[in-house]
Amino acid sequence: MSYTGPDFDPPQPRRLRRGPLTVALAALVPGALLGWVVYEAVGGGPGGEDRTASSVPSAPASSPGDDGRPSAPAAGRPDSARPLTGMVVVVDPGHNPGNFRHTAEINRPVDIGTNRKECDTTGTSTNDGYTEARFTLDLAHRLRTLLQRQGATVKLTHDGDGPPWGPCVDERARIGNTAHADAAISLHADGSAAGNRGFHVILPGSVHAGAADTRGIVGPSRDLGVRVAGGYRRETGEPPSNYLGGGTGLVTRTDLGGLNLSTVPKVFIECGNMRDSKDAALLTDGAWRQRAAQGISEGIVSFLHGS
């Protein structure tokens, strides 16, 4: 692009002398041309087009906010680090450490839909006196911690600091229903004969009688149970029961009030046989209980996350 303006004399061939104005303008021309080139290069031309856009990387979609912190996930987008955010899990530690001192209260019959059954029982124990109620409460605390790390709201049916007995089986179911739990699990350990060992997960059968109607939860409860069984076996190495469930680790029952009266997906897990020496050695070991909690947690997360 050429420039012509007032008082500019094009150079003449073989001219030996130039006037003062010519010399001054000649000195200014390179600067003017350089300024125009820079102006155009940085986007100062018409429309503000960035001439160097192809050489400047665009900011990533997840670039930090103005305060330097990563931008929050968009509304409705799940937080991959806490996939259970907004979900509710009810954990039911089987029995209560104080039940054995309140036999009259726990023997009171309650309606479980199909019939009437005692409010609760004392549970079992190892031959050395480690009770099922102590085991389930410890396991529940470990499981709660793991699920909370995943973002879940976790409610326990009892926490060892409330009434010295119960709650009754119908109330345990009601706690999950009232919470509109996305999943519920009742933790237990069995008291079968020595030599019988392994775990099993109890699924609700189809019941429609009195206050009980499990027809809507049978399918999702089975899905939950299968996933819990898989996670539990993988993390603990505990085999499926050799005395119930035909080696599948899954048993369906219609005589448990905690399942019959549930309106949310729910299963029981019998974590092992407290009367078998091999299982008892595991159930009484804190490090193993942590693995048990991890396996159960993985099953619940898988169920709720749909993965």
Side-chain angles (χ1 to χ4, degrees):
M1 182 177 182
S2 63
Y3 174 81
T4 57
D7 301 322
F8 181 81
D9 291 327
Q12 299 296 320
R14 302 178 63 86
R15 188 171 181 174
L16 300 178
R17 298 184 62 186
R18 297 172 183 171
L21 180 60
T22 302
V23 173
L25 288 174
L28 291 174
V29 167
L33 289 173
L34 178 62
W36 178 83
V37 170
V38 172
Y39 179 70
E40 285 289 295
V42 299
E49 180 181 356
D50 185 357
R51 308 292 186 183
T52 60
S54 61
S55 63
V56 178
S58 300
S62 58
S63 59
D66 293 338
D67 57 1
R69 293 176 296 182
S71 301
R77 183 182 300 167
D79 182 349
S80 59
R82 293 167 61 84
L84 301 191
T85 298
M87 296 184 178
V88 177
V89 179
V90 169
V91 177
D92 176 30
H95 314 290
N96 186 309
N99 276 0
F100 72 94
R101 291 190 294 266
H102 296 271
T103 54
E105 290 88 346
I106 67 172
N107 284 332
R108 174 175 59 87
V110 297
D111 183 7
I112 65 166
T114 53
N115 61 297
R116 296 179 68 81
K117 204 170 182 179
E118 61 268 26
C119 158
D120 202 0
T121 67
T122 60
T124 188
S125 67
T126 66
N127 293 332
D128 292 333
Y130 181 63
T131 66
E132 181 184 0
R134 285 177 58 197
F135 166 78
T136 61
L137 192 56
D138 176 83
L139 183 60
H141 289 161
R142 296 171 188 268
L143 179 57
R144 175 173 62 187
T145 297
L146 292 172
L147 291 171
Q148 286 175 337
R149 288 176 185 168
Q150 297 287 324
T153 297
V154 182
K155 299 180 181 295
L156 268 59
T157 57
H158 71 95
D159 201 7
D161 56 0
W165 57 275
C168 295
V169 293
D170 57 339
E171 177 61 19
R172 290 171 187 258
R174 190 154 44 246
I175 291 170
N177 299 344
T178 301
H180 302 289
D182 295 284
I185 188 165
S186 190
L187 308 176
H188 291 267
D190 211 357
S192 187
N196 290 342
R197 66 170 308 218
F199 78 93
H200 61 277
V201 175
I202 304 174
L203 314 173
S206 183
V207 175
H208 185 209
D213 187 356
T214 64
R215 292 174 296 176
I217 68 164
V218 167
S221 295
R222 182 176 182 82
D223 185 20
L224 171 62
V226 168
R227 292 172 187 263
V228 166
Y232 186 82
R233 184 177 187 182
R234 183 170 55 250
E235 289 296 324
T236 65
E238 177 77 347
S241 170
N242 62 7
Y243 60 100
L244 288 171
T248 66
L250 302 173
V251 176
T252 300
R253 291 177 60 173
T254 59
D255 63 328
L256 299 175
L259 294 179
N260 285 0
L261 300 176
S262 181
T263 59
V264 301
K266 184 175 182 179
V267 297
F268 282 37
I269 181 168
E270 297 280 1
C271 294
N273 178 19
M274 292 194 123
R275 295 295 184 173
D276 177 77
S277 59
K278 291 181 180 178
D279 274 1
L282 299 176
L283 297 166
T284 55
D285 180 76
W288 185 88
R289 289 197 298 274
Q290 187 62 34
R291 293 197 298 274
Q294 180 65 39
I296 296 169
S297 172
E298 288 177 3
I300 294 173
V301 171
S302 174
F303 170 73
L304 293 178
H305 204 227
S307 59

